[in-house]
Amino acid sequence: MLMNTHEARLDALRKELKARGLDGFVIPISDEHMSEYVGGYAQRLEWLTGFGGSAGTAAVLTDPTRTPAAAMFVDGRYTLQVRDQVDGRLYAYESVPQTTIAAWLSVHAPAGAKIGYDAWLHGSKWAQAAEKALAAKGGSLVAVDGNPVDTVWQDRPAPSPAPALVHPDQFTGEVSEAKRAAVSEWLAGQNLDAAVITALDSIAWLLNIRGTDVERTPVALSYVIARADGTADLFIAPEKVTDDLRRHLGNAVSIKPRDAFVGALHGLSGKRVSVDPERAVSAIFEELRKAGATVVEDRDPTVLPKAIKNPVEQAGHRAAQARDGAAVSRFLHWLAVEAPRGEVTEMSAADKLQACRQEAGDLRDLSFDTISGAGPNGAVVHYRVSEETNRTLEANSVYLVDSGGQYPDGTTDITRTVWVGPDAPGPEVKDRFTRVLKGHIALASAVFPKGTAGSQLDVLARMPLWQAGLDYAHGTGHGVGSFLSVHEGPQRIAKSAGGQPGGDQPLLAGMFLSNEPGYYKTGEYGIRIENLILVEPRTIAGGEGDFLGFETLTHVPIDRHLVDTGLLTEKEIAWWNTYHARVLEIVGPQLEGSAKAWLEAQCVAL
């Protein structure tokens, strides 16, 4: 019998843990590649708890009489969402980084507890911290043989059998052979024999392949071992291998079954092997050490080259943004006409936006589930609409839509906040929106010396809000891939590293990032303005040294109804006018009729 309630699923898991002699178990949102978005087969946390966010972890104690007997851990993006989706009778809500799973277990697990974890789903640093915390109470962390959630998840889907796809050189700007040669040169320079590459977007970039194994991210489930002699082994399920893929990879890449990967790790005995502790799971470190390899912890050698987009990737992204901008503009015109009639819902709006993107041409997928938040749902930072939460866009309210597309020449991500009339917005909403806008403009206009990290720029986007005693509980910007992950490291713009990789990474010319300050009033509305930006060299007359700035890549009008022009400086108004003139130049020729007339009205100078 299928278990249709989360309470029944939790009870079944506890029985399985008891049968295994475990006092608890930790369930993250993760797969064997530590991906942000995972295939259906790896959605263990959602199946168990109902939580549908992209970052979170549950800790379950076997004894249901303990208080609390289970907890959900999420960051500030999901504080509201977790309460909507996860039953508070079953799980306590915990916020990170204010607390950690290891700290919680050290307090709430029984003395001498054996806490299980799947070493193929956790990083080695997490495992070390949890092991230390449990040892302080006489407990231990136990790597399980087979995930107990999988044992009780009776209708768990199988991993995708879809074939891996060749990504043409016309989009990559660099052939795979050149990328592999650069990795082998790096390995030789570090006196290393091999690098184990497990991040799916790293493998896709290195081999110039893509796939459809994970919704919203065009990757193929696989592993790579790259060697100092320029050869590489690709571990991938046989049904995913085509003749086209074999021809593309050539003789220097050996294609082997995915289940041969662990044996290949054992074959690295006596070798010096680079493994990225931020991107490789704990089990890989353990298998290599058991085999007698010397493990050298270092960043995946593809990460930085992947983040620095070459001229072909930059040109492709601009082309994708032009099509995407027209699609989103058509949607916003439709919304302006239809929403005031009171019949548009969050779900129908998201469906219409996807249809507009499909009509724009060559849409392969969305880059993430569209965040379509009306009124109070817009205050849930990573809100995901469902039949249960679907709201109508009401008259005289705020609507937030954060969305993106996956095109073969680029990945897009844009947020617009819209006022649904007919009345004018009130002074508070306009004040908050304009402060978010001022922060957005400040970051977009920033000029900074080479070597500056994103964490050093974050204050520019927050200052107008801080001056009013306001803030937002998420980062200001994340890296973006090239027909790859919409969230790509190592670059990011946030208050500080915050325990996450990339906060101290200097921004380099060629990197894509988002610029997305926001404001959220719980129970009422959310505001966010997001464009993608490109780090580019800047020449300053009379200046000394190398400086950088940003090119704004997203071109879609920003809702002028929500702007309090009295709060804007002359320079900010000039930015607005220049930006919207560019929007009209790029998007205008792609529209016609009433949509074009609407766009022209939105782009009139302030």
Side-chain angles (χ1 to χ4, degrees):
M1 179 182 295
L2 297 180
M3 292 166 284
N4 293 321
T5 70
H6 296 114
E7 188 169 11
R9 294 170 183 179
L10 180 59
D11 180 62
L13 176 61
R14 285 195 165 115
K15 289 177 180 176
E16 178 65 21
L17 297 179
K18 186 175 182 180
R20 296 188 183 205
L22 296 172
D23 298 298
F25 189 67
V26 180
I27 308 98
I29 298 175
S30 187
D31 61 9
E32 303 88 339
H33 310 274
M34 295 186 69
S35 308
E36 178 182 15
Y37 298 113
V38 301
Y41 79 97
Q43 291 283 2
R44 297 175 179 90
L45 187 66
E46 185 170 23
W47 178 84
L48 180 68
T49 70
F51 179 66
S54 64
T57 304
V60 174
L61 299 179
T62 304
D63 181 357
T65 65
R66 299 189 70 85
T67 304
M72 272 292 305
F73 299 81
V74 297
D75 62 28
R77 296 171 295 171
Y78 296 108
T79 302
L80 300 180
Q81 181 175 336
V82 72
R83 286 162 172 78
D84 288 339
Q85 295 179 330
V86 178
D87 192 336
R89 297 179 302 111
L90 304 177
Y91 298 88
Y93 306 123
E94 298 288 345
S95 297
V96 294
Q98 289 87 343
T99 189
T100 65
I101 301 159
W104 188 89
L105 288 169
S106 69
V107 172
H108 297 289
K114 294 181 179 179
I115 303 297
Y117 81 111
D118 187 337
W120 285 97
L121 301 179
H122 293 271
S124 59
K125 290 183 179 179
W126 179 90
Q128 291 165 8
E131 192 168 25
K132 182 178 179 181
L134 288 168
K137 290 188 64 174
S140 59
L141 189 67
V142 180
V144 297
D145 183 12
N147 194 302
V149 175
D150 297 349
T151 303
V152 298
W153 186 358
Q154 298 168 358
D155 57 346
R156 177 176 172 240
S160 164
L165 306 170
V166 174
H167 192 45
D169 295 341
Q170 71 186 85
F171 299 125
T172 68
E174 186 178 18
V175 298
S176 175
E177 290 88 343
K179 295 177 179 181
R180 298 197 308 270
V183 171
S184 66
E185 184 178 345
W186 177 82
L187 289 169
Q190 300 293 316
N191 193 29
L192 294 165
D193 296 295
V196 177
I197 299 176
T198 63
L200 296 178
D201 61 334
S202 292
I203 294 166
W205 178 87
L206 178 65
L207 300 182
N208 286 348
I209 62 174
R210 298 295 187 268
T212 58
D213 290 348
V214 179
E215 285 189 358
R216 314 314 189 202
T217 309
V219 293
L221 294 171
S222 53
Y223 298 100
V224 161
I225 296 177
R227 303 177 189 277
D229 63 5
T231 63
D233 297 329
L234 170 65
F235 300 88
I236 188 168
E239 63 267 23
K240 307 175 78 61
V241 179
T242 64
D243 290 341
D244 192 27
L245 180 68
R246 291 184 187 278
R247 284 192 296 270
H248 167 69
L249 294 177
N251 295 330
V253 178
S254 298
I255 301 176
K256 300 182 179 182
R258 181 175 163 87
D259 57 15
F261 177 62
V262 172
L265 295 178
H266 296 164
L268 293 171
S269 175
K271 304 293 187 182
R272 287 174 48 83
V273 183
S274 172
V275 187
D276 187 338
E278 303 293 349
R279 293 168 178 83
V281 295
S282 177
I284 290 173
F285 289 87
E286 291 306 310
E287 296 292 347
L288 285 169
R289 288 179 178 129
K290 283 193 298 185
T294 299
V295 178
V296 179
E297 295 189 1
D298 208 336
R299 179 190 281 172
D300 173 343
T302 73
V303 165
L304 198 56
K306 171 164 53 71
I308 300 171
K309 308 303 186 287
N310 61 48
V312 171
E313 291 170 318
Q314 294 177 29
H317 186 88
R318 292 188 187 96
Q321 285 284 9
R323 298 194 306 276
D324 198 68
V328 178
S329 295
R330 288 190 189 97
F331 164 75
L332 291 176
H333 166 246
W334 172 86
L335 195 71
V337 173
E338 297 296 331
R341 297 174 180 171
E343 297 180 355
V344 176
T345 68
E346 294 170 338
M347 293 187 78
S348 67
D351 289 343
K352 178 64 177 181
L353 178 52
Q354 183 168 353
C356 288
R357 282 197 164 98
Q358 288 168 334
E359 292 165 8
D362 221 4
L363 179 74
R364 303 299 173 86
D365 196 356
L366 301 182
S367 55
F368 55 96
D369 290 338
T370 297
I371 299 169
S372 178
N377 286 344
V380 181
V381 177
H382 276 203
Y383 171 69
R384 187 169 74 177
V385 62
S386 66
E387 294 284 358
E388 294 74 26
T389 64
N390 190 27
R391 291 178 63 94
T392 299
L393 277 61
E394 299 175 354
N396 304 318
S397 68
V398 176
Y399 170 63
L400 184 154
V401 57
D402 185 349
S403 67
Q406 290 284 11
Y407 305 93
D409 47 357
T411 299
T412 68
D413 183 2
I414 173 177
T415 307
R416 287 296 180 263
T417 305
V418 178
W419 177 253
V420 180
D423 297 342
E428 179 190 282
V429 170
K430 291 184 71 171
D431 175 88
R432 303 306 191 251
F433 183 90
T434 307
R435 290 180 183 278
V436 172
L437 174 64
K438 288 169 70 72
H440 180 96
I441 293 172
L443 183 57
S445 306
V447 178
F448 47 94
K450 187 177 180 181
T452 300
S455 57
Q456 294 173 278
L457 300 179
D458 182 77
V459 65
L460 298 175
R462 297 181 191 269
M463 188 59 70
L465 288 164
W466 285 356
Q467 289 170 339
L470 308 169
D471 200 4
Y472 50 93
H474 59 75
T476 300
H478 56 81
V480 178
S482 181
F483 188 41
L484 276 176
S485 175
V486 74
H487 296 146
E488 179 182 272
Q491 71 275 24
R492 60 194 300 265
I493 301 172
K495 288 182 180 178
S496 67
Q500 299 185 48
D504 296 324
Q505 168 64 48
L507 301 184
L508 300 170
M511 287 179 167
F512 294 154
L513 296 110
S514 64
N515 172 4
E516 51 180 313
Y519 170 75
Y520 310 91
K521 188 170 185 179
T522 301
E524 296 195 30
Y525 60 85
I527 293 167
R528 187 159 65 250
I529 302 171
E530 178 186 17
N531 288 337
L532 298 190
I533 51 181
L534 168 67
V535 183
E536 61 178 3
R538 282 291 167 84
T539 301
I540 303 173
E544 299 177 357
D546 296 327
F547 277 73
L548 301 168
F550 296 119
E551 173 192 346
T552 294
L553 298 165
T554 307
H555 292 97
V556 172
I558 300 169
D559 193 347
R560 60 198 298 118
H561 300 97
L562 285 162
V563 179
D564 181 350
T565 55
L567 288 177
L568 298 179
T569 65
E570 289 185 6
K571 287 185 177 180
E572 289 166 341
I573 291 173
W575 182 94
W576 173 284
N577 291 338
T578 299
Y579 175 75
H580 284 85
R582 183 70 172 149
V583 170
L584 189 58
E585 177 187 347
I586 291 174
V587 176
Q590 302 180 71
L591 304 185
E592 55 188 26
S594 59
K596 186 168 185 177
W598 172 86
L599 180 72
E600 290 170 344
Q602 299 306 303
C603 294
V604 170
L606 287 180

